[in-house]
């Protein structure tokens, strides 16, 4: 990514619309079946990606026959794109810097929200990870918007630096570090449970994790907090 916003296409000034597809167009009478299809698709795509997932596997997991599945969806590509865009749209909406006045509060809240999403919705997060591992070919229309959203955060962080509220650093790299540290709890959920000595279905006590992550990032940024 580059920090030169002038180099971005004009489309970056536009907000990415909410995802549209069979899941979002479900009528009340079809919502139960579409919810089952969505749950099955999330599980399959998070495990195998678009290329490795079959409509037969989605249908079986949803408790449907393949012909029944195709009554509700045209194909796996349409379903996959909608789910992928749901992940990206949710990240854009949830992980914004709403109040840019206090870096300790803004960054702390941002880290906690990212961690919550990774722990609460690991399969949705892993759909994005699988897409990246498969080459990211379905993200072409997302990247310009992602760069624009990131640039807004970079501008805010650079403002804090200019006002002496945190030490000089590369704001974009800081954000990528936060993404990596929080996304780890989705991508490496099994490892997390093993290292913490937790059984597969036991809830993760996220507060110690969040506390350490926030303290680590704020300390590295030179941001003083009230004990």
């Amino acid at each position: 990514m580059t920090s030169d916003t002038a180099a971005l296409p004009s489309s970056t000034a536009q907000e990415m619309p909410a995802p549209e597809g069979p899941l979002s167009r479900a009528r009340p009478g079809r919502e139960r079946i579409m919810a089952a299809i969505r749950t099955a698709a999330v599980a399959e795509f998070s495990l195998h990606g678009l290329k490795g997932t079959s409509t037969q596997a989605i249908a079986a997991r949803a408790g449907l026959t393949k012909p029944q599945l195709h009554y509700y969806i045209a194909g796996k590509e349409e379903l996959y794109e909608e789910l992928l865009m749901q992940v990206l749209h949710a990240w854009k909406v949830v992980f914004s810097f709403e109040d840019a006045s206090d870096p300790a509060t803004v960054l702390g809240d941002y880290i906690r929200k990212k961690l919550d999403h990774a722990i609460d919705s690991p399969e949705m997060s892993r759909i994005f990870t699988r897409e990246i591992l498969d080459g990211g070919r379905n993200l072409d229309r997302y990247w310009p918007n992602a760069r624009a959203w990131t640039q807004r955060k970079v501008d805010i962080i650079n403002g804090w630096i200019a006002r002496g509220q945190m030490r000089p650093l590369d704001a974009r790299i800081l954000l990528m570090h936060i993404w990596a540290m929080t996304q780890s709890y989705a991508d490496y959920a099994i490892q997390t449970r093993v290292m913490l000595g937790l059984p597969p279905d036991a809830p993760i006590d996220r507060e110690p994790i969040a506390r350490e992550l926030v303290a680590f990032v704020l300390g590295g940024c030179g941001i003083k907090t009230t004990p």
Side-chain angles (χ1 to χ4, degrees):
M1 292 184 182
T2 174
S3 61
D4 182 3
T5 55
L8 296 175
S10 59
S11 61
T12 58
Q14 302 174 356
E15 301 293 346
M16 188 173 78
E20 167 66 15
L23 296 174
S24 56
R25 294 196 301 267
R27 296 187 297 274
R30 301 174 49 168
E31 287 181 355
R32 181 181 60 81
I33 294 176
M34 292 307 300
I37 292 173
R38 180 187 188 279
T39 299
V42 168
E44 289 297 323
F45 288 137
S46 69
L47 288 170
H48 309 295
L50 174 60
K51 188 179 297 185
T53 295
S54 66
T55 51
Q56 179 63 56
I58 295 173
R61 190 181 285 268
L64 302 170
T65 65
K66 189 173 178 180
Q68 286 174 327
L69 176 69
H70 283 290
Y71 175 80
Y72 293 96
I73 66 169
K76 66 176 184 177
E77 290 79 10
E78 180 186 14
L79 193 58
Y80 178 80
E81 181 176 359
E82 184 180 354
L83 288 172
L84 181 61
M85 289 302 114
Q86 282 183 3
V87 174
L88 304 176
H89 188 266
W91 285 356
K92 187 270 172 186
V93 172
V94 175
F95 305 134
S96 59
F97 283 7
E98 296 178 359
D99 179 6
S101 59
D102 176 24
T105 299
V106 173
L107 289 175
D109 288 347
Y110 183 68
I111 292 166
R112 286 177 178 275
K113 287 178 181 177
K114 291 286 289 181
L115 180 65
D116 284 344
H117 190 273
I119 292 175
D120 293 335
S121 305
E123 289 184 325
M124 289 296 285
S125 292
R126 286 196 290 267
I127 289 177
F128 179 81
T129 300
R130 287 294 321 182
E131 174 62 29
I132 293 294
L133 292 174
D134 290 341
R137 288 179 291 276
N138 294 286
L139 293 170
D140 287 348
R141 71 186 183 96
Y142 163 73
W143 292 131
N145 292 283
R147 292 175 64 193
W149 303 336
T150 300
Q151 185 61 45
R152 292 170 197 155
K153 294 181 177 66
V154 168
D155 291 341
I156 290 170
I157 294 171
N158 285 339
W160 293 333
I161 294 171
R163 292 190 293 273
Q165 293 175 279
M166 58 188 288
R167 73 171 180 85
L169 49 73
D170 187 314
R172 187 168 284 101
I173 292 177
L174 169 64
L175 289 170
M176 290 192 291
H177 284 334
I178 293 173
W179 300 341
M181 287 188 291
T182 52
Q183 185 68 19
S184 171
Y185 289 92
D187 294 347
Y188 298 101
I190 294 175
Q191 174 180 269
T192 297
R193 292 179 180 280
V194 170
M195 292 297 109
L196 294 177
L198 295 174
D201 297 328
I204 294 175
D205 184 0
R206 70 194 69 189
E207 180 54 31
I209 299 171
R211 190 167 54 243
E212 289 293 337
L213 276 176
V214 171
F216 180 76
V217 172
L218 298 187
C221 292
I223 298 173
K224 295 180 179 180
T225 59
T226 302

